[in-house]
Amino acid sequence: MDQLTKYVVALTNLYGIVDKDKIVEIYNSQNEEQISTEDVEKFTIKPLKDVIAFEYVCVHKGYFVHEMILYFDEFDMLLREKAGKPYYVPNKEKLLKYTDEFYFEKNEQFETLVHYMKDEFFDGDLKEAEEYCAEIQLICQDGFDPKTIISDFERMDIVFENPEQANEVMLLVRDLANNTRICENNGYTPMELFEKSEKPNLRPLPDEPYLYELPDDTASMVKKTAKKSQSKVGRNDPCPCGSGKKYKKCCLN
């Protein structure tokens, strides 16, 4: 993959939707060899169009778009949400890590959640906890929703001992969501954008603690080890719907 192709793929993965002029601007700010809009337009026709399509990047209405945005028909909505917001531009080394569509920053909030889940639900298994928290981080990229998070806990057979533990976990997830880079903020985290523009872009829990509803059978609230059974689909496995995509990029959410 040549340098310009890497930029097209990385910026599409980071922003979800990016136009040709923004690619030219960022590329030229980080490289001695300068490019023009015409250089980027070559990716809108074969054979370069096929090269980026292999990396899940599509060309739509003059923009480079991650194919999952088109798959879920979110292009127009996301474009409206991004309008008028500044762009987060990491340095060249960090930016090119986004050529991996599954790359994300494992920040302090992520590590805190991983170690909590490891100790409380994964019987000390760091690898299992980290893989599961990566799924939670993927959900946070689409916006923090307590019901979605709880549903995913149930999918993994994670059961809380009491409402206090549920609240503690949800606060950790909320902190992760507020510090996750999202496409609608042009790569900024909600916390960064809030501090930068002083606009209400945070997605916190309500002021009151999140109240997890205990089952009627309180005896069932015995802490379980959240191990994936053989019947569960792994996040990197082919999606059972038959789309040909990985589960985490298709029906997981």
Side-chain angles (χ1 to χ4, degrees):
M1 190 185 300
D2 65 28
Q3 189 80 323
L4 181 52
T5 304
K6 290 179 180 179
Y7 269 79
V8 171
V9 173
L11 290 170
T12 303
N13 286 336
L14 177 59
Y15 300 141
I17 301 173
V18 61
D19 63 32
K20 296 186 288 290
D21 291 338
K22 180 58 65 174
I23 293 174
V24 172
E25 174 191 329
I26 294 174
Y27 185 97
N28 286 344
S29 71
Q30 297 184 346
N31 295 275
E32 291 185 4
E33 179 185 358
Q34 301 292 279
I35 63 170
S36 65
T37 303
E38 287 72 25
D39 293 316
V40 180
E41 285 178 344
K42 294 177 183 178
F43 288 90
T44 66
I45 58 177
K46 292 178 178 292
L48 291 182
K49 188 175 182 179
D50 292 335
V51 172
I52 59 174
F54 185 75
E55 301 294 336
Y56 306 103
V57 177
C58 304
V59 179
H60 182 70
K61 295 183 178 180
Y63 292 88
F64 293 94
V65 188
H66 194 283
E67 72 166 19
M68 296 308 294
I69 292 171
L70 299 179
Y71 182 82
F72 289 108
D73 195 24
E74 296 175 341
F75 176 82
D76 292 332
M77 177 188 69
L78 182 56
L79 200 60
R80 288 193 300 269
E81 291 176 342
K82 291 163 62 70
K85 294 178 181 177
Y87 280 81
Y88 163 76
V89 183
N91 62 42
K92 181 177 179 178
E93 180 182 1
K94 183 178 290 186
L95 172 60
L96 293 182
K97 291 181 180 180
Y98 284 92
T99 54
D100 177 0
E101 66 169 330
F102 300 124
Y103 170 76
F104 65 92
E105 295 178 18
K106 295 181 179 180
N107 55 23
E108 177 184 350
Q109 292 77 21
F110 177 79
E111 296 296 343
T112 298
L113 180 62
V114 166
H115 286 284
Y116 183 93
M117 299 298 287
K118 172 182 72 72
D119 295 338
E120 297 297 325
F121 299 106
F122 285 89
D123 198 26
D125 191 325
L126 180 62
K127 182 179 179 181
E128 286 283 336
E130 189 170 65
E131 288 182 355
Y132 179 65
C133 289
E135 295 183 8
I136 295 297
Q137 195 275 344
L138 188 62
I139 295 173
C140 289
Q141 287 181 349
D142 292 328
F144 178 77
D145 178 15
K147 291 183 179 179
T148 302
I149 300 297
I150 290 296
S151 294
D152 204 68
F153 287 153
E154 292 174 348
R155 179 183 68 84
M156 288 296 295
D157 296 330
I158 291 176
V159 180
F160 302 115
E161 290 183 333
N162 49 54
E164 289 72 26
Q165 186 183 52
N167 294 336
E168 187 173 9
V169 172
M170 295 304 290
L171 287 172
L172 292 176
V173 175
R174 189 275 309 272
D175 288 343
L176 175 61
N178 281 337
N179 290 278
T180 292
R181 303 202 178 281
I182 57 178
C183 293
E184 68 185 65
N185 285 350
N186 291 327
Y188 277 107
T189 70
M191 183 66 75
E192 287 173 340
L193 192 59
F194 177 81
E195 293 175 347
K196 186 177 183 65
S197 62
E198 297 185 351
K199 293 180 180 179
N201 290 299
L202 290 177
R203 295 189 181 116
L205 288 172
D207 292 336
E208 300 80 11
Y210 180 80
L211 298 178
Y212 180 79
E213 295 182 2
L214 290 171
D216 293 335
D217 180 10
T218 56
S220 68
M221 293 303 291
V222 176
K223 182 169 62 178
K224 300 178 180 179
T225 301
K227 295 287 186 180
K228 295 183 180 178
S229 68
Q230 293 180 350
S231 63
K232 290 187 172 65
V233 182
R235 64 197 300 267
N236 289 315
D237 293 340
C239 188
C241 76
S243 67
K245 299 180 177 65
K246 291 184 179 181
Y247 178 53
K248 66 166 75 174
K249 280 295 181 179
C250 192
C251 294
L252 174 62
N253 291 331

